Amino acid sequence: MTKATVYVTYKESILDPQGQAVQKAASKLGYDKVYKIRIGKYFEIEGTGSAEELKTQVEALSNELLANPNMETYRVEVQD
Amino acid sequence: MTKATVYVTYKESILDPQGQAVQKAASKLGYDKVYKIRIGKYFEIEGTGSAEELKTQVEALSNELLANPNMETYRVEVQD
C-alpha cells in the first residue's frame, strides 16, 4: 500500500473570504498572534503500485478532478 | 512572521461520503491505482510572536473553532 497526500490551495491572487471570516472570528475570540488564515483542501490517498506510479496518477487526478486549475494550485507528496 | 499549518481530518470511525464520491469518480476516470480517498481541511496561518507562542494559540484555536472535536482530529505544524 502506497500513500499520497494532495494539498489544494487558492492561488495567491484569489480572494479567500472563508479564510478572512475565520481570521476575524479568531481575533474576536482573542487569538491576537494570528493575523492571516488561508483555507485549502487536503486529500489523503491510499493506492497500489510503486510510489512513482501512484504519483503520476495522483498528479493527473489532481489536475482533472481535485483542483480547479483556474483558481487553485496543488502539491502532491507520496510516502513509500 | 511565523507560519503554522493545521490539518483537520475526520476521525477514522467517521464515514467520509465526500471522499467516497471522489474515489468513485477517480475509478470511473480510469485511475486504477487509487483505491481510498479521505478529504480534510488545511489551514495556512501566518502569525506573530515565537513559534511556541503561535503553536499554543493555534492549538487552542483548532480546538475551539477549526475542528469539530466530535468528528474530527487536527494536527498543528509550526515553521520558524
Side-chain angles (χ1 to χ4, degrees):
Chain A
M1 189 241 309
T2 314
K3 283 195 170 189
T5 311
V6 182
Y7 307 90
V8 177
T9 50
Y10 283 122
K11 289 180 179 175
E12 279 299 324
S13 56
I14 300 288
L15 197 66
D16 178 10
Q18 203 181 6
Q20 288 175 354
V22 172
Q23 198 278 318
K24 274 195 192 113
S27 64
K28 273 193 192 137
L29 289 168
Y31 297 103
D32 55 358
K33 300 280 178 210
V34 173
Y35 67 76
K36 186 177 175 187
I37 296 180
R38 287 182 71 79
I39 300 179
K41 291 175 284 192
Y42 167 69
F43 297 85
E44 288 177 348
I45 295 175
E46 291 176 23
T48 57
S50 70
E52 210 48 48
E53 285 170 326
L54 186 62
K55 182 160 173 120
T56 307
Q57 280 210 358
V58 170
E59 293 265 359
L61 180 64
S62 303
N63 230 333
E64 187 171 5
L65 187 67
L66 305 184
N68 173 346
N70 299 324
M71 299 171 53
E72 295 170 328
T73 58
Y74 64 86
R75 179 166 54 91
V76 176
E77 285 174 9
V78 178
Q79 297 88 27
D80 283 348
Chain B
M1 190 240 313
T2 315
K3 283 195 169 190
T5 311
V6 181
Y7 306 90
V8 177
T9 50
Y10 284 122
K11 290 180 178 174
E12 280 299 324
S13 55
I14 301 288
L15 198 66
D16 178 9
Q18 203 182 5
Q20 288 174 354
V22 172
Q23 197 277 319
K24 275 195 191 110
S27 63
K28 273 194 190 134
L29 290 168
Y31 297 103
D32 54 359
K33 300 280 179 211
V34 173
Y35 67 76
K36 186 177 175 187
I37 295 180
R38 287 183 71 81
I39 299 178
K41 291 175 283 191
Y42 167 69
F43 298 86
E44 288 175 348
I45 295 175
E46 289 176 22
T48 57
S50 71
E52 208 50 46
E53 285 170 326
L54 185 62
K55 181 160 173 118
T56 308
Q57 279 210 358
V58 170
E59 293 266 358
L61 180 64
S62 301
N63 228 333
E64 187 172 5
L65 187 68
L66 305 184
N68 173 346
N70 299 324
M71 298 171 53
E72 295 170 328
T73 58
Y74 64 85
R75 180 165 53 92
V76 176
E77 284 174 11
V78 179
Q79 296 89 27
D80 283 348

mmCIF file of all heavy atoms in Angstrom, chain A residues 24-72:
data_model
loop_
_atom_site.group_PDB
_atom_site.id
_atom_site.type_symbol
_atom_site.label_atom_id
_atom_site.label_comp_id
_atom_site.label_asym_id
_atom_site.label_seq_id
_atom_site.Cartn_x
_atom_site.Cartn_y
_atom_site.Cartn_z
ATOM 1 N N LYS A 24 -11.241 36.669 11.211
ATOM 2 C CA LYS A 24 -11.982 37.670 12.023
ATOM 3 C C LYS A 24 -12.530 37.022 13.289
ATOM 4 O O LYS A 24 -12.434 37.575 14.383
ATOM 5 C CB LYS A 24 -13.124 38.255 11.194
ATOM 6 C CG LYS A 24 -12.684 39.423 10.334
ATOM 7 C CD LYS A 24 -13.850 40.250 9.795
ATOM 8 C CE LYS A 24 -13.321 41.191 8.710
ATOM 9 N NZ LYS A 24 -13.846 40.845 7.369
ATOM 10 N N ALA A 25 -13.053 35.805 13.137
ATOM 11 C CA ALA A 25 -13.593 35.104 14.316
ATOM 12 C C ALA A 25 -12.462 34.834 15.312
ATOM 13 O O ALA A 25 -12.627 35.010 16.518
ATOM 14 C CB ALA A 25 -14.235 33.797 13.876
ATOM 15 N N ALA A 26 -11.302 34.449 14.786
ATOM 16 C CA ALA A 26 -10.165 34.146 15.664
ATOM 17 C C ALA A 26 -9.769 35.396 16.454
ATOM 18 O O ALA A 26 -9.541 35.331 17.668
ATOM 19 C CB ALA A 26 -8.987 33.647 14.835
ATOM 20 N N SER A 27 -9.748 36.543 15.795
ATOM 21 C CA SER A 27 -9.323 37.751 16.536
ATOM 22 C C SER A 27 -10.404 38.165 17.539
ATOM 23 O O SER A 27 -10.088 38.604 18.646
ATOM 24 C CB SER A 27 -8.974 38.887 15.573
ATOM 25 O OG SER A 27 -10.100 39.272 14.856
ATOM 26 N N LYS A 28 -11.672 37.948 17.187
ATOM 27 C CA LYS A 28 -12.753 38.239 18.163
ATOM 28 C C LYS A 28 -12.636 37.339 19.389
ATOM 29 O O LYS A 28 -12.956 37.725 20.502
ATOM 30 C CB LYS A 28 -14.117 38.045 17.515
ATOM 31 C CG LYS A 28 -14.615 39.280 16.799
ATOM 32 C CD LYS A 28 -16.095 39.208 16.427
ATOM 33 C CE LYS A 28 -16.413 40.360 15.458
ATOM 34 N NZ LYS A 28 -17.271 39.902 14.346
ATOM 35 N N LEU A 29 -12.133 36.102 19.159
ATOM 36 C CA LEU A 29 -12.002 35.158 20.270
ATOM 37 C C LEU A 29 -10.727 35.420 21.077
ATOM 38 O O LEU A 29 -10.424 34.717 22.021
ATOM 39 C CB LEU A 29 -12.005 33.722 19.743
ATOM 40 C CG LEU A 29 -13.344 33.204 19.200
ATOM 41 C CD1 LEU A 29 -13.153 31.896 18.445
ATOM 42 C CD2 LEU A 29 -14.332 33.006 20.348
ATOM 43 N N GLY A 30 -9.958 36.431 20.602
ATOM 44 C CA GLY A 30 -8.790 36.825 21.391
ATOM 45 C C GLY A 30 -7.479 36.208 20.955
ATOM 46 O O GLY A 30 -6.454 36.335 21.630
ATOM 47 N N TYR A 31 -7.454 35.549 19.796
ATOM 48 C CA TYR A 31 -6.202 34.940 19.316
ATOM 49 C C TYR A 31 -5.395 36.002 18.569
ATOM 50 O O TYR A 31 -5.412 36.082 17.352
ATOM 51 C CB TYR A 31 -6.503 33.728 18.426
ATOM 52 C CG TYR A 31 -7.207 32.619 19.171
ATOM 53 C CD1 TYR A 31 -8.567 32.392 19.031
ATOM 54 C CD2 TYR A 31 -6.495 31.836 20.063
ATOM 55 C CE1 TYR A 31 -9.205 31.401 19.749
ATOM 56 C CE2 TYR A 31 -7.118 30.835 20.790
ATOM 57 C CZ TYR A 31 -8.475 30.626 20.627
ATOM 58 O OH TYR A 31 -9.103 29.643 21.350
ATOM 59 N N ASP A 32 -4.687 36.833 19.352
ATOM 60 C CA ASP A 32 -4.067 38.034 18.774
ATOM 61 C C ASP A 32 -2.765 37.733 18.025
ATOM 62 O O ASP A 32 -2.244 38.572 17.317
ATOM 63 C CB ASP A 32 -3.799 39.058 19.887
ATOM 64 C CG ASP A 32 -2.958 38.447 21.022
ATOM 65 O OD1 ASP A 32 -2.631 37.225 20.922
ATOM 66 O OD2 ASP A 32 -2.631 39.158 21.969
ATOM 67 N N LYS A 33 -2.220 36.522 18.152
ATOM 68 C CA LYS A 33 -0.979 36.197 17.428
ATOM 69 C C LYS A 33 -1.261 35.803 15.968
ATOM 70 O O LYS A 33 -0.392 35.735 15.137
ATOM 71 C CB LYS A 33 -0.275 34.999 18.090
ATOM 72 C CG LYS A 33 0.106 35.230 19.534
ATOM 73 C CD LYS A 33 1.361 36.041 19.658
ATOM 74 C CE LYS A 33 1.724 36.309 21.096
ATOM 75 N NZ LYS A 33 2.448 37.600 21.227
ATOM 76 N N VAL A 34 -2.542 35.508 15.669
ATOM 77 C CA VAL A 34 -2.918 35.015 14.340
ATOM 78 C C VAL A 34 -3.397 36.188 13.489
ATOM 79 O O VAL A 34 -4.355 36.859 13.860
ATOM 80 C CB VAL A 34 -4.064 33.983 14.484
ATOM 81 C CG1 VAL A 34 -4.602 33.566 13.125
ATOM 82 C CG2 VAL A 34 -3.605 32.776 15.283
ATOM 83 N N TYR A 35 -2.736 36.466 12.343
ATOM 84 C CA TYR A 35 -3.237 37.618 11.574
ATOM 85 C C TYR A 35 -3.632 37.257 10.138
ATOM 86 O O TYR A 35 -4.230 38.049 9.430
ATOM 87 C CB TYR A 35 -2.274 38.808 11.605
ATOM 88 C CG TYR A 35 -0.960 38.634 10.902
ATOM 89 C CD1 TYR A 35 -0.853 38.684 9.512
ATOM 90 C CD2 TYR A 35 0.193 38.415 11.640
ATOM 91 C CE1 TYR A 35 0.351 38.510 8.882
ATOM 92 C CE2 TYR A 35 1.426 38.252 11.013
ATOM 93 C CZ TYR A 35 1.490 38.293 9.634
ATOM 94 O OH TYR A 35 2.690 38.110 9.015
ATOM 95 N N LYS A 36 -3.301 36.035 9.660
ATOM 96 C CA LYS A 36 -3.761 35.687 8.315
ATOM 97 C C LYS A 36 -4.059 34.189 8.254
ATOM 98 O O LYS A 36 -3.245 33.382 8.728
ATOM 99 C CB LYS A 36 -2.697 36.048 7.282
ATOM 100 C CG LYS A 36 -3.157 35.855 5.839
ATOM 101 C CD LYS A 36 -2.079 36.298 4.856
ATOM 102 C CE LYS A 36 -2.486 35.996 3.431
ATOM 103 N NZ LYS A 36 -1.397 36.264 2.457
ATOM 104 N N ILE A 37 -5.218 33.834 7.696
ATOM 105 C CA ILE A 37 -5.575 32.415 7.563
ATOM 106 C C ILE A 37 -6.038 32.158 6.131
ATOM 107 O O ILE A 37 -6.856 32.915 5.593
ATOM 108 C CB ILE A 37 -6.717 32.024 8.531
ATOM 109 C CG1 ILE A 37 -6.277 32.167 9.993
ATOM 110 C CG2 ILE A 37 -7.187 30.599 8.259
ATOM 111 C CD1 ILE A 37 -7.348 31.798 11.004
ATOM 112 N N ARG A 38 -5.468 31.151 5.498
ATOM 113 C CA ARG A 38 -5.938 30.720 4.184
ATOM 114 C C ARG A 38 -6.367 29.258 4.309
ATOM 115 O O ARG A 38 -5.659 28.449 4.920
ATOM 116 C CB ARG A 38 -4.827 30.873 3.127
ATOM 117 C CG ARG A 38 -4.578 32.342 2.768
ATOM 118 C CD ARG A 38 -3.516 32.492 1.700
ATOM 119 N NE ARG A 38 -3.944 32.056 0.386
ATOM 120 C CZ ARG A 38 -4.709 32.800 -0.423
ATOM 121 N NH1 ARG A 38 -5.174 33.962 -0.015
ATOM 122 N NH2 ARG A 38 -5.035 32.364 -1.617
ATOM 123 N N ILE A 39 -7.512 28.962 3.729
ATOM 124 C CA ILE A 39 -8.069 27.616 3.890
ATOM 125 C C ILE A 39 -7.944 26.853 2.573
ATOM 126 O O ILE A 39 -8.145 27.412 1.496
ATOM 127 C CB ILE A 39 -9.553 27.711 4.302
ATOM 128 C CG1 ILE A 39 -9.678 28.458 5.634
ATOM 129 C CG2 ILE A 39 -10.169 26.333 4.419
ATOM 130 C CD1 ILE A 39 -11.090 28.638 6.112
ATOM 131 N N GLY A 40 -7.580 25.553 2.686
ATOM 132 C CA GLY A 40 -7.482 24.731 1.479
ATOM 133 C C GLY A 40 -8.052 23.354 1.733
ATOM 134 O O GLY A 40 -8.568 23.063 2.821
ATOM 135 N N LYS A 41 -7.950 22.499 0.718
ATOM 136 C CA LYS A 41 -8.424 21.110 0.843
ATOM 137 C C LYS A 41 -7.205 20.200 0.964
ATOM 138 O O LYS A 41 -6.119 20.521 0.476
ATOM 139 C CB LYS A 41 -9.223 20.711 -0.391
ATOM 140 C CG LYS A 41 -10.554 21.416 -0.524
ATOM 141 C CD LYS A 41 -11.247 21.077 -1.829
ATOM 142 C CE LYS A 41 -10.630 21.806 -3.015
ATOM 143 N NZ LYS A 41 -11.435 21.720 -4.246
ATOM 144 N N TYR A 42 -7.460 19.057 1.584
ATOM 145 C CA TYR A 42 -6.349 18.153 1.927
ATOM 146 C C TYR A 42 -6.854 16.743 1.665
ATOM 147 O O TYR A 42 -7.904 16.355 2.156
ATOM 148 C CB TYR A 42 -6.075 18.405 3.407
ATOM 149 C CG TYR A 42 -5.205 17.448 4.129
ATOM 150 C CD1 TYR A 42 -3.841 17.372 3.837
ATOM 151 C CD2 TYR A 42 -5.716 16.623 5.113
ATOM 152 C CE1 TYR A 42 -3.018 16.493 4.527
ATOM 153 C CE2 TYR A 42 -4.908 15.753 5.801
ATOM 154 C CZ TYR A 42 -3.566 15.692 5.508
ATOM 155 O OH TYR A 42 -2.768 14.832 6.195
ATOM 156 N N PHE A 43 -6.166 16.017 0.766
ATOM 157 C CA PHE A 43 -6.628 14.668 0.390
ATOM 158 C C PHE A 43 -5.614 13.627 0.854
ATOM 159 O O PHE A 43 -4.433 13.714 0.500
ATOM 160 C CB PHE A 43 -6.768 14.571 -1.134
ATOM 161 C CG PHE A 43 -7.789 15.498 -1.715
ATOM 162 C CD1 PHE A 43 -7.466 16.812 -2.037
ATOM 163 C CD2 PHE A 43 -9.093 15.065 -1.942
ATOM 164 C CE1 PHE A 43 -8.410 17.679 -2.570
ATOM 165 C CE2 PHE A 43 -10.038 15.923 -2.474
ATOM 166 C CZ PHE A 43 -9.697 17.223 -2.790
ATOM 167 N N GLU A 44 -6.066 12.666 1.618
ATOM 168 C CA GLU A 44 -5.221 11.525 1.985
ATOM 169 C C GLU A 44 -5.627 10.378 1.058
ATOM 170 O O GLU A 44 -6.783 9.962 1.072
ATOM 171 C CB GLU A 44 -5.443 11.131 3.448
ATOM 172 C CG GLU A 44 -4.866 12.117 4.432
ATOM 173 C CD GLU A 44 -5.174 11.741 5.880
ATOM 174 O OE1 GLU A 44 -6.021 10.836 6.094
ATOM 175 O OE2 GLU A 44 -4.580 12.343 6.774
ATOM 176 N N ILE A 45 -4.661 9.907 0.269
ATOM 177 C CA ILE A 45 -4.973 8.903 -0.754
ATOM 178 C C ILE A 45 -4.172 7.632 -0.490
ATOM 179 O O ILE A 45 -2.973 7.691 -0.207
ATOM 180 C CB ILE A 45 -4.644 9.467 -2.154
ATOM 181 C CG1 ILE A 45 -5.564 10.659 -2.456
ATOM 182 C CG2 ILE A 45 -4.748 8.394 -3.229
ATOM 183 C CD1 ILE A 45 -5.283 11.385 -3.742
ATOM 184 N N GLU A 46 -4.851 6.494 -0.539
ATOM 185 C CA GLU A 46 -4.172 5.203 -0.453
ATOM 186 C C GLU A 46 -4.262 4.539 -1.822
ATOM 187 O O GLU A 46 -5.320 4.585 -2.471
ATOM 188 C CB GLU A 46 -4.813 4.320 0.634
ATOM 189 C CG GLU A 46 -4.550 4.841 2.038
ATOM 190 C CD GLU A 46 -5.263 4.022 3.110
ATOM 191 O OE1 GLU A 46 -5.594 2.843 2.845
ATOM 192 O OE2 GLU A 46 -5.495 4.589 4.190
ATOM 193 N N GLY A 47 -3.155 3.931 -2.247
ATOM 194 C CA GLY A 47 -3.187 3.329 -3.581
ATOM 195 C C GLY A 47 -2.273 2.127 -3.670
ATOM 196 O O GLY A 47 -1.631 1.729 -2.696
ATOM 197 N N THR A 48 -2.238 1.536 -4.872
ATOM 198 C CA THR A 48 -1.373 0.355 -5.117
ATOM 199 C C THR A 48 -0.273 0.780 -6.065
ATOM 200 O O THR A 48 -0.245 1.907 -6.543
ATOM 201 C CB THR A 48 -2.217 -0.749 -5.789
ATOM 202 O OG1 THR A 48 -2.772 -0.164 -7.005
ATOM 203 C CG2 THR A 48 -3.359 -1.205 -4.906
ATOM 204 N N GLY A 49 0.639 -0.167 -6.336
ATOM 205 C CA GLY A 49 1.718 0.120 -7.274
ATOM 206 C C GLY A 49 2.853 0.865 -6.582
ATOM 207 O O GLY A 49 2.823 1.115 -5.375
ATOM 208 N N SER A 50 3.837 1.256 -7.396
ATOM 209 C CA SER A 50 5.015 1.925 -6.831
ATOM 210 C C SER A 50 4.685 3.381 -6.514
ATOM 211 O O SER A 50 3.664 3.915 -6.975
ATOM 212 C CB SER A 50 6.144 1.898 -7.869
ATOM 213 O OG SER A 50 5.796 2.782 -8.946
ATOM 214 N N ALA A 51 5.567 4.017 -5.753
ATOM 215 C CA ALA A 51 5.367 5.434 -5.400
ATOM 216 C C ALA A 51 5.322 6.269 -6.681
ATOM 217 O O ALA A 51 4.496 7.176 -6.819
ATOM 218 C CB ALA A 51 6.509 5.896 -4.492
ATOM 219 N N GLU A 52 6.172 5.891 -7.630
ATOM 220 C CA GLU A 52 6.244 6.621 -8.908
ATOM 221 C C GLU A 52 4.928 6.527 -9.676
ATOM 222 O O GLU A 52 4.380 7.533 -10.140
ATOM 223 C CB GLU A 52 7.399 6.005 -9.745
ATOM 224 C CG GLU A 52 8.088 6.977 -10.678
ATOM 225 C CD GLU A 52 8.453 8.279 -10.013
ATOM 226 O OE1 GLU A 52 9.037 8.259 -8.903
ATOM 227 O OE2 GLU A 52 8.070 9.327 -10.564
ATOM 228 N N GLU A 53 4.405 5.292 -9.752
ATOM 229 C CA GLU A 53 3.149 5.067 -10.500
ATOM 230 C C GLU A 53 2.008 5.842 -9.852
ATOM 231 O O GLU A 53 1.212 6.501 -10.524
ATOM 232 C CB GLU A 53 2.813 3.572 -10.507
ATOM 233 C CG GLU A 53 3.651 2.718 -11.432
ATOM 234 C CD GLU A 53 3.407 1.223 -11.194
ATOM 235 O OE1 GLU A 53 3.163 0.833 -10.025
ATOM 236 O OE2 GLU A 53 3.458 0.454 -12.166
ATOM 237 N N LEU A 54 1.935 5.769 -8.503
ATOM 238 C CA LEU A 54 0.832 6.445 -7.806
ATOM 239 C C LEU A 54 0.964 7.958 -7.979
ATOM 240 O O LEU A 54 -0.019 8.647 -8.234
ATOM 241 C CB LEU A 54 0.823 6.081 -6.308
ATOM 242 C CG LEU A 54 -0.387 6.636 -5.529
ATOM 243 C CD1 LEU A 54 -1.695 6.069 -6.075
ATOM 244 C CD2 LEU A 54 -0.264 6.344 -4.043
ATOM 245 N N LYS A 55 2.211 8.460 -7.891
ATOM 246 C CA LYS A 55 2.401 9.919 -8.018
ATOM 247 C C LYS A 55 1.914 10.391 -9.390
ATOM 248 O O LYS A 55 1.215 11.396 -9.506
ATOM 249 C CB LYS A 55 3.865 10.292 -7.840
ATOM 250 C CG LYS A 55 4.098 11.800 -7.920
ATOM 251 C CD LYS A 55 5.395 12.235 -7.283
ATOM 252 C CE LYS A 55 5.635 13.713 -7.550
ATOM 253 N NZ LYS A 55 5.735 14.579 -6.378
ATOM 254 N N THR A 56 2.239 9.625 -10.423
ATOM 255 C CA THR A 56 1.819 10.013 -11.777
ATOM 256 C C THR A 56 0.301 10.088 -11.863
ATOM 257 O O THR A 56 -0.271 11.072 -12.349
ATOM 258 C CB THR A 56 2.352 8.972 -12.788
ATOM 259 O OG1 THR A 56 3.761 8.830 -12.577
ATOM 260 C CG2 THR A 56 2.066 9.380 -14.217
ATOM 261 N N GLN A 57 -0.369 9.060 -11.308
ATOM 262 C CA GLN A 57 -1.846 9.046 -11.383
ATOM 263 C C GLN A 57 -2.434 10.168 -10.519
ATOM 264 O O GLN A 57 -3.388 10.846 -10.919
ATOM 265 C CB GLN A 57 -2.391 7.689 -10.919
ATOM 266 C CG GLN A 57 -2.319 6.622 -11.980
ATOM 267 C CD GLN A 57 -3.429 5.589 -11.862
ATOM 268 O OE1 GLN A 57 -4.274 5.610 -10.958
ATOM 269 N NE2 GLN A 57 -3.445 4.653 -12.805
ATOM 270 N N VAL A 58 -1.866 10.394 -9.353
ATOM 271 C CA VAL A 58 -2.444 11.405 -8.454
ATOM 272 C C VAL A 58 -2.234 12.819 -9.010
ATOM 273 O O VAL A 58 -3.100 13.691 -8.893
ATOM 274 C CB VAL A 58 -1.847 11.265 -7.035
ATOM 275 C CG1 VAL A 58 -2.242 12.436 -6.150
ATOM 276 C CG2 VAL A 58 -2.318 9.953 -6.400
ATOM 277 N N GLU A 59 -1.106 13.037 -9.699
ATOM 278 C CA GLU A 59 -0.882 14.339 -10.348
ATOM 279 C C GLU A 59 -1.964 14.568 -11.415
ATOM 280 O O GLU A 59 -2.587 15.635 -11.474
ATOM 281 C CB GLU A 59 0.503 14.360 -11.027
ATOM 282 C CG GLU A 59 1.682 14.300 -10.078
ATOM 283 C CD GLU A 59 2.216 15.691 -9.734
ATOM 284 O OE1 GLU A 59 1.659 16.687 -10.266
ATOM 285 O OE2 GLU A 59 3.148 15.792 -8.905
ATOM 286 N N ALA A 60 -2.206 13.542 -12.218
ATOM 287 C CA ALA A 60 -3.222 13.672 -13.287
ATOM 288 C C ALA A 60 -4.606 13.843 -12.661
ATOM 289 O O ALA A 60 -5.407 14.689 -13.087
ATOM 290 C CB ALA A 60 -3.183 12.437 -14.180
ATOM 291 N N LEU A 61 -4.880 13.091 -11.583
ATOM 292 C CA LEU A 61 -6.183 13.185 -10.906
ATOM 293 C C LEU A 61 -6.377 14.582 -10.305
ATOM 294 O O LEU A 61 -7.467 15.175 -10.399
ATOM 295 C CB LEU A 61 -6.238 12.131 -9.792
ATOM 296 C CG LEU A 61 -7.519 12.064 -8.963
ATOM 297 C CD1 LEU A 61 -8.714 11.667 -9.835
ATOM 298 C CD2 LEU A 61 -7.356 11.084 -7.802
ATOM 299 N N SER A 62 -5.315 15.135 -9.757
ATOM 300 C CA SER A 62 -5.401 16.483 -9.167
ATOM 301 C C SER A 62 -5.739 17.502 -10.248
ATOM 302 O O SER A 62 -6.589 18.369 -10.070
ATOM 303 C CB SER A 62 -4.082 16.854 -8.501
ATOM 304 O OG SER A 62 -3.755 15.894 -7.519
ATOM 305 N N ASN A 63 -5.086 17.352 -11.380
ATOM 306 C CA ASN A 63 -5.301 18.276 -12.487
ATOM 307 C C ASN A 63 -6.715 18.187 -13.042
ATOM 308 O O ASN A 63 -7.344 19.190 -13.384
ATOM 309 C CB ASN A 63 -4.322 17.905 -13.620
ATOM 310 C CG ASN A 63 -3.588 19.130 -14.101
ATOM 311 O OD1 ASN A 63 -4.090 20.240 -14.009
ATOM 312 N ND2 ASN A 63 -2.392 18.919 -14.583
ATOM 313 N N GLU A 64 -7.220 16.925 -13.071
ATOM 314 C CA GLU A 64 -8.507 16.709 -13.730
ATOM 315 C C GLU A 64 -9.700 16.878 -12.785
ATOM 316 O O GLU A 64 -10.767 17.297 -13.197
ATOM 317 C CB GLU A 64 -8.529 15.294 -14.323
ATOM 318 C CG GLU A 64 -9.749 15.011 -15.164
ATOM 319 C CD GLU A 64 -9.666 13.683 -15.916
ATOM 320 O OE1 GLU A 64 -8.685 12.924 -15.722
ATOM 321 O OE2 GLU A 64 -10.588 13.419 -16.693
ATOM 322 N N LEU A 65 -9.487 16.550 -11.476
ATOM 323 C CA LEU A 65 -10.667 16.450 -10.591
ATOM 324 C C LEU A 65 -10.520 17.196 -9.255
ATOM 325 O O LEU A 65 -11.423 17.890 -8.817
ATOM 326 C CB LEU A 65 -10.926 14.962 -10.300
ATOM 327 C CG LEU A 65 -12.190 14.609 -9.538
ATOM 328 C CD1 LEU A 65 -13.427 14.910 -10.386
ATOM 329 C CD2 LEU A 65 -12.186 13.137 -9.134
ATOM 330 N N LEU A 66 -9.354 17.073 -8.625
ATOM 331 C CA LEU A 66 -9.251 17.552 -7.242
ATOM 332 C C LEU A 66 -9.076 19.070 -7.143
ATOM 333 O O LEU A 66 -9.520 19.696 -6.188
ATOM 334 C CB LEU A 66 -8.090 16.851 -6.526
ATOM 335 C CG LEU A 66 -8.103 15.325 -6.529
ATOM 336 C CD1 LEU A 66 -6.954 14.770 -5.699
ATOM 337 C CD2 LEU A 66 -9.439 14.772 -6.038
ATOM 338 N N ALA A 67 -8.412 19.662 -8.157
ATOM 339 C CA ALA A 67 -8.163 21.111 -8.073
ATOM 340 C C ALA A 67 -8.738 21.811 -9.298
ATOM 341 O O ALA A 67 -8.741 21.252 -10.395
ATOM 342 C CB ALA A 67 -6.660 21.377 -8.013
ATOM 343 N N ASN A 68 -9.219 23.015 -9.086
ATOM 344 C CA ASN A 68 -9.723 23.834 -10.194
ATOM 345 C C ASN A 68 -8.551 24.673 -10.701
ATOM 346 O O ASN A 68 -8.134 25.631 -10.028
ATOM 347 C CB ASN A 68 -10.842 24.737 -9.673
ATOM 348 C CG ASN A 68 -11.296 25.724 -10.731
ATOM 349 O OD1 ASN A 68 -10.622 25.912 -11.754
ATOM 350 N ND2 ASN A 68 -12.436 26.358 -10.511
ATOM 351 N N PRO A 69 -8.000 24.328 -11.866
ATOM 352 C CA PRO A 69 -6.766 24.992 -12.333
ATOM 353 C C PRO A 69 -6.908 26.512 -12.488
ATOM 354 O O PRO A 69 -5.909 27.232 -12.452
ATOM 355 C CB PRO A 69 -6.480 24.316 -13.671
ATOM 356 C CG PRO A 69 -7.632 23.453 -13.992
ATOM 357 C CD PRO A 69 -8.493 23.330 -12.815
ATOM 358 N N ASN A 70 -8.128 27.004 -12.641
ATOM 359 C CA ASN A 70 -8.291 28.463 -12.804
ATOM 360 C C ASN A 70 -8.018 29.197 -11.498
ATOM 361 O O ASN A 70 -7.540 30.322 -11.492
ATOM 362 C CB ASN A 70 -9.711 28.787 -13.264
ATOM 363 C CG ASN A 70 -10.012 28.154 -14.595
ATOM 364 O OD1 ASN A 70 -9.127 28.077 -15.451
ATOM 365 N ND2 ASN A 70 -11.211 27.627 -14.759
ATOM 366 N N MET A 71 -8.377 28.576 -10.364
ATOM 367 C CA MET A 71 -8.320 29.302 -9.087
ATOM 368 C C MET A 71 -7.372 28.667 -8.072
ATOM 369 O O MET A 71 -7.011 29.303 -7.083
ATOM 370 C CB MET A 71 -9.704 29.294 -8.439
ATOM 371 C CG MET A 71 -10.781 29.966 -9.245
ATOM 372 S SD MET A 71 -12.398 29.652 -8.494
ATOM 373 C CE MET A 71 -12.118 30.177 -6.806
ATOM 374 N N GLU A 72 -7.046 27.394 -8.294
ATOM 375 C CA GLU A 72 -6.307 26.682 -7.246
ATOM 376 C C GLU A 72 -4.984 26.123 -7.759
ATOM 377 O O GLU A 72 -4.816 25.870 -8.944
ATOM 378 C CB GLU A 72 -7.173 25.525 -6.714
ATOM 379 C CG GLU A 72 -8.446 25.979 -6.009
ATOM 380 C CD GLU A 72 -9.415 24.851 -5.710
ATOM 381 O OE1 GLU A 72 -9.464 23.865 -6.504
ATOM 382 O OE2 GLU A 72 -10.125 24.937 -4.696
#
